[in-house]
Amino acid sequence: MDDASMVGLMGRVTGTIGPGLVGEVMVRVRGGAEHFLAYAADGANRIERGTVVMVVEYLPPRTVYVTSAYGG
């Protein structure tokens, strides 16, 4: 999967993301759902489990930077 095809995908936080924390998100991709290590795109926000997020950057093979999809 290339970088451009990951950006803009939606996912759900499965492990809290925050400053000093490597979180985890599940993203629907390649006809299924996969887990990725995740960081907050701004580096400062805490994003709790269950929050819907959008991928803004992808670092192969399994790391994404995300932001809250609904401004929360």
Side-chain angles (χ1 to χ4, degrees), residues 4-5 9-10 14-15 17 23-25 27-28 35 37 39-41 44 46 48 51 54 59 64 66 68:
S5 61
L9 293 180
M10 305 293 266
T14 55
I17 301 166
E24 184 180 67
V25 296
V27 178
R28 290 193 174 276
H35 282 97
L37 297 177
Y39 294 92
R46 184 176 177 93
E48 300 294 335
T51 304
M54 182 173 57
L59 301 175
V64 293
V66 299
S68 177

Side-chain angles (χ1 to χ4, degrees), residues 10 45 47 51-54 66-72:
M10 305 293 266
N45 282 344
I47 307 173
T51 304
V52 176
V53 293
M54 182 173 57
V66 299
T67 189
S68 177
Y70 301 111

